Amino acid sequence: YALQYVHGIGAKFAAEICEQAGIDPDTRANQVNEQQLAAVNALIDQNYLVEGALRRLGPRDRPWRILDLGTGTGCIALALLSELPTATAVGVDRSPQAAAVARGNAVRLGLADRFAVIVGDWAEALSGRFDLVVSNPPYIVHEAIPGLEPEVARHDPLLALDGGVDGLTAYRAIVPELERLLAPDEAAAH
């Protein structure tokens, strides 16, 4: 599996990522195009976030309450819900279009009864507490946006990419809210 050498991941994980990205696992690294590589990188980031969150949570049969800030397509929250049969999740996104996609994905995956989507600005409209807060917020420095590979720039909307002047704008909005949002002794993952 050529991709395991590119990314330093194990053969089984590389095969799963290749399958999800629509790439033959036997493809040589120099034959993977930029769009495929961007898809692979995004899937690896999301998988590491999901796996790390699952390790942190503990027993999978507990009714965990999950918050996904900047949910986008809902893939992180929905992946967690697929592994946590009694958990519920709330996804928040600024984009009504992204929220609609997340809702549609939840319906297609049979998880809509455990996943609510809110259109809003990070955690402003939320008042409850959660066992886990996850986020893969925009982190690309604004100045770097014009220089992004076209495949990356075309794949995600600007709102999902632009992290502001130093790439940390979203983090400045999210981190101060964590104490209010997290149940005592619970976790934030990014």
Side-chain angles (χ1 to χ4, degrees):
Y1 302 107
L3 291 177
Q4 80 185 71
Y5 301 109
V6 173
H7 296 286
I9 60 178
K12 182 179 179 203
F13 187 45
E16 291 171 12
I17 293 294
C18 286
E19 182 180 331
Q20 291 175 36
I23 302 169
D24 179 344
D26 294 322
T27 301
R28 293 186 166 281
N30 64 355
Q31 295 173 328
V32 177
N33 68 40
E34 291 296 321
Q35 186 174 2
Q36 291 170 320
L37 192 57
V40 166
N41 284 329
L43 287 165
I44 289 170
D45 288 349
Q46 292 163 7
N47 278 297
Y48 278 127
L49 178 58
V50 169
E51 289 302 318
L54 289 171
R55 278 192 304 277
R56 172 66 176 90
L57 282 176
R60 293 189 180 196
D61 60 348
R62 183 174 158 197
W64 300 105
R65 294 196 55 206
I66 301 165
L67 173 61
D68 183 4
L69 295 172
T71 198
T73 63
C75 62
I76 294 170
L78 295 170
L80 288 165
L81 290 179
S82 72
E83 296 290 329
L84 302 166
T86 59
T88 57
V90 173
V92 179
D93 204 285
R94 293 164 134 180
S95 165
Q97 295 84 3
V101 169
R103 280 188 199 99
N105 286 339
V107 169
R108 275 187 289 289
L109 294 169
L111 298 169
D113 61 328
R114 297 190 292 129
F115 183 59
V117 183
I118 298 169
V119 175
D121 194 15
W122 301 116
E124 283 183 10
L126 299 172
S127 61
R129 289 196 173 250
F130 298 86
D131 300 303
L132 176 70
V133 176
V134 293
S135 185
N136 188 12
Y139 56 83
I140 298 173
V141 174
H142 179 77
E143 229 174 59
I145 299 288
L148 288 175
E149 293 292 331
E151 291 79 10
V152 175
R154 283 192 301 254
H155 177 69
D156 287 317
L158 182 62
L159 190 61
L161 298 171
D162 192 342
V165 175
D166 60 1
L168 299 174
T169 300
Y171 292 92
R172 285 192 194 91
I174 294 168
V175 171
E177 298 291 335
L178 292 176
E179 185 176 350
R180 175 178 70 83
L181 295 169
L182 283 167
D185 300 320
E186 297 307 342
H190 65 280

